[in-house]
Amino acid sequence: MGGKQRRSPGRQQSGRQQGSGKQTRQQGQGQNSAGQNLGTAPMTAAAQRAQQKLVQSAQPKRGRGRPRRSQKPPVKVYFLGGLNEIGKNFTLYECQGDMVIVDCGLAFPDEEMLGVDLVIPDFTFVEKNRDKIKGVVITHGHEDHIGAVPYLLKRLNVPVYGTALTIGLIESKLREHNLTASAKLMVTPPGSHIRLGCFEVEFIHVNHSIADSVALALHTPAGVLVHTGDFKIDCTPEEGEMIDLARFAELGKQGVLALLMDSTNAERPGYTQTEQTVNNSLDALFMRAEGKRIIVATFASSISRVQMIINCAVKYGRKVALSGRSMVNVMGIASELGYLDIPDGVLVDLNLINRYEPGQLVLITTGSQGEPMSALTRMAFSDHRQVAIGPGDFIILSARPIPGNEKTVGAVVDELLKQGCTVIYESMYEVHVSGHACQEELKLIHGLVKPRFFIPVHGEQKHLQKNAGIAMSMGMEQKDIFIGDIGNVLEIHEDRMKQLSDVPAGSVMVDGLGVGDVGSVVLRDRKHLAEDGLIVAVCSIEAESGHVAAGPDIVSRGFVYVRENEALMEEARKVVYRALEECAEHRVRDWSDMKQCVKDELSKFLYKKTQRNPMILPIIMEV
């Protein structure tokens, strides 16, 4: 036939095999199964054997023959964050000795991480390979993708690439860490390509809940890997264009080695709703709130959502004030870069809101997740310096609680209702839509890209497993899907995947200015203190004899109220006294042994009396 034969992308045979097959077909024309020519003069037996041997040598080898090995070099993927957790996205790619980091985010502490401010990835492995790393590429400007960039750049100063808004938000963070002078930040618009060693990284425009979001196509000698980042398919986005589906389809036709796809909404059927749904809901709520002050809580990074609120405020003749440090900061950057359009005279200072009637104002604030120090939480508990709420306030929570935050959000809503406010939240009206793709959108991207291998990323185990199930429903075999964990290393060849030995990875806790100085032992002690309190036993002993010279005194913090438990404290003193005297009689003079003896005796006594195990801290002084 004259036309080219169509081949499925990502599953093409090698040129060598295709050539062999063609040769076999040409030689086989006009032959029967014995290799004899039909309609020609009979061949001698020797000629027949020679022709059969020629035909067999042209056929692809099977059975005991050595399997064909990959001709292309492999690419390694190091999963250093973002798997089996929400946040802390951090992936490292390596090919032919060159490394590229994709995203560098943080996670927020859970209930067990007492006193911890932030959780960032463990950078041990990337520090060991600092000479191989060619750059950091960021998909978008959310905290779970950019939050740890300052901590990474303190360890290795490599260039950071991202879209204009993403780089603007990173620059603001670096300013707080005094790193702007040394940092190398590169603005890279969607559609552009950058060369990082043997990697050519392509930026593909996608829709998400923050502007300037991109997916990445990593063109390597091993093949093309598509890393979607966070995305959804929105045909009517509030700002910008819809996702570049055409480019995903082009890559799929050319052949994609592996697809690493967002799994956050893999449990949700159907499609994610368009942002226009929220626009219509906000308009109806503004009309309903006539004469009342409107307070809208949303994510500071939701620039398109804030633009909707400003547009509604302009339509209904209201002034807008911003509350919350992160909200003011992000909106300032977005306005400066042209991502936010605020008409003159609409924005007013938060300190001047008392000059306006309630029906003339809209407050846009942080605190949609019930964060303890956020503006909305302080308003709810009457702890905000500029805003005092009451029955005349109409409050809209334009965000969905992040998994784990439901209880704190509920507490804030309850407190607002006690204050007499009208409170609107997601389950009541369509005041929020997700920024992540649901099942049908995941299927669409998968169908366009047609990857040889599939790796679900960004989510807990249930999300990863569900996304893998979606891929199998699209016809992928289980052996071509990899569900990883933090620290896993995957080596991808053009015809197979292989898991290698794990590398150091995990979580590093940030507490104030301390990075990594809070570990499992410190958290265990904090939990112990929080649950059972502290007992301090102070005593002086004679230097020569070792007998008690003064005390012991017992100090209780978070264990019992001393004034109401004087008898218990007196017995505790006697227990400590006997323990030290026994050490003196047996000539035990080692400080650690003496303290351990006091802790053991006092712990047994207190548990017997109270069924509690407070932390015991003996302090022994020699006189």
Side-chain angles (χ1 to χ4, degrees), residues 416-477:
L416 292 169
L417 291 171
K418 289 177 186 177
Q419 302 280 3
C421 304
T422 302
V423 184
I424 306 294
Y425 43 95
E426 184 200 15
S427 58
M428 298 170 63
Y429 295 89
E430 293 175 332
V431 291
H432 174 70
V433 295
S434 176
H436 299 271
C438 290
Q439 290 178 2
E440 296 305 314
E441 296 157 273
L442 297 174
K443 290 178 183 178
L444 180 56
I445 294 296
H446 201 289
L448 291 175
V449 173
K450 301 182 181 70
R452 175 70 179 82
F453 302 107
F454 178 66
I455 305 161
V457 294
H458 300 176
E460 298 170 349
Q461 183 67 200
K462 58 184 179 181
H463 304 126
L464 305 179
Q465 293 275 4
K466 196 69 177 180
N467 207 355
I470 292 170
M472 285 189 280
S473 74
M474 298 285 291
M476 288 207 76
E477 296 183 32

Side-chain angles (χ1 to χ4, degrees), residues 39-51:
T40 60
M43 297 176 66
T44 65
Q48 288 179 5
R49 285 196 298 272
Q51 183 161 325

Side-chain angles (χ1 to χ4, degrees), residues 9-306:
R11 293 176 172 81
Q12 300 176 4
Q13 292 178 313
S14 73
R16 182 182 302 172
Q17 285 182 321
Q18 290 170 8
S20 299
K22 186 175 180 182
Q23 185 180 12
T24 302
R25 288 192 297 272
Q26 289 174 342
Q27 292 179 345
Q29 291 174 355
Q31 296 175 354
N32 64 11
S33 59
Q36 296 174 332
N37 288 340
L38 301 177
T40 60
M43 297 176 66
T44 65
Q48 288 179 5
R49 285 196 298 272
Q51 183 161 325
Q52 278 187 330
K53 188 174 181 181
L54 179 64
V55 171
Q56 289 170 358
S57 67
Q59 292 176 343
K61 291 184 179 180
R62 293 183 176 88
R64 295 183 181 180
R66 182 178 296 177
R68 183 181 64 86
R69 306 302 296 173
S70 300
Q71 301 301 308
K72 296 180 180 179
V75 60
K76 294 179 183 177
V77 187
Y78 301 85
F79 301 98
L80 305 179
L83 296 183
N84 295 303
E85 62 182 355
I86 300 295
K88 199 158 65 64
N89 298 294
F90 189 57
T91 310
L92 180 67
Y93 293 89
E94 180 182 9
C95 188
Q96 293 186 328
D98 295 329
M99 289 183 168
V100 172
I101 296 171
V102 173
D103 290 330
C104 186
L106 57 76
F108 294 102
D110 57 33
E111 295 177 353
E112 299 293 316
M113 299 178 183
L114 301 171
V116 174
D117 299 324
L118 305 170
V119 183
I120 62 175
D122 185 347
F123 298 130
T124 303
F125 183 73
V126 295
E127 286 187 83
K128 287 181 180 177
N129 292 275
R130 62 173 64 243
D131 295 333
K132 296 182 180 180
I133 296 173
K134 304 303 177 183
V136 181
V137 186
I138 307 293
T139 58
H140 64 280
H142 278 152
E143 289 290 324
D144 58 335
H145 292 258
I146 68 169
V149 170
Y151 300 97
L152 176 67
L153 295 186
K154 287 177 182 178
R155 290 168 169 77
L156 59 154
N157 190 15
V158 293
V160 179
Y161 300 84
T163 54
L165 179 61
T166 303
I167 292 298
L169 295 172
I170 292 173
E171 190 173 18
S172 175
K173 287 186 164 295
L174 298 183
R175 200 174 294 120
E176 296 177 7
H177 291 260
N178 297 317
L179 292 172
T180 50
S182 59
K184 294 173 278 192
L185 304 179
M186 311 294 180
V187 175
T188 314
S192 58
H193 295 242
I194 57 172
R195 173 64 67 175
L196 299 174
C198 70
F199 289 84
E200 182 182 317
V201 184
E202 177 185 357
F203 286 61
I204 306 169
H205 170 70
V206 299
N207 302 128
H208 188 41
S209 53
I210 187 171
D212 253 9
S213 297
V214 293
L216 303 173
L218 292 89
H219 300 264
T220 75
V224 178
L225 292 90
V226 174
H227 186 115
T228 67
D230 292 351
F231 79 98
K232 67 176 180 178
I233 298 174
D234 193 342
C235 298
T236 56
E238 181 62 20
E239 51 79 31
E241 300 177 354
M242 71 171 286
I243 182 173
D244 191 355
L245 294 177
R247 184 54 189 154
F248 284 104
E250 288 173 7
L251 289 168
K253 288 180 180 179
Q254 295 164 10
V256 170
L257 179 63
L259 171 64
L260 292 88
M261 187 156 61
D262 177 23
S263 307
T264 309
N265 270 358
E267 293 181 303
R268 293 188 167 196
Y271 297 85
T272 303
Q273 288 185 306
T274 175
E275 284 285 333
Q276 293 298 330
T277 306
V278 179
N279 205 359
N280 297 334
S281 296
L282 286 174
D283 189 271
L285 290 171
F286 268 67
M287 187 182 300
R288 174 180 161 186
E290 185 178 357
K292 291 187 175 183
R293 181 173 63 180
I294 298 175
I295 301 174
V296 186
T298 189
F299 293 111
S301 58
S302 297
I303 298 166
S304 62
R305 192 75 50 82
V306 172

Side-chain angles (χ1 to χ4, degrees), residues 471-499:
M472 285 189 280
S473 74
M474 298 285 291
M476 288 207 76
E477 296 183 32
Q478 191 167 4
K479 66 181 180 63
D480 295 330
I481 300 171
F482 179 77
I483 299 176
D485 199 358
I486 294 177
N488 286 171
V489 182
L490 184 65
E491 186 176 75
I492 307 176
H493 297 258
E494 62 176 322
D495 55 359
R496 69 190 189 281
M497 292 189 294
K498 181 172 70 172
Q499 185 175 351

Side-chain angles (χ1 to χ4, degrees), residues 321-347:
L322 304 177
S323 179
R325 188 174 68 91
S326 59
M327 179 66 72
V328 173
N329 185 36
V330 173
M331 292 311 123
I333 295 169
S335 180
E336 182 181 334
L337 294 174
Y339 291 91
L340 192 65
D341 179 25
I342 308 175
D344 293 339
V346 172
L347 200 63

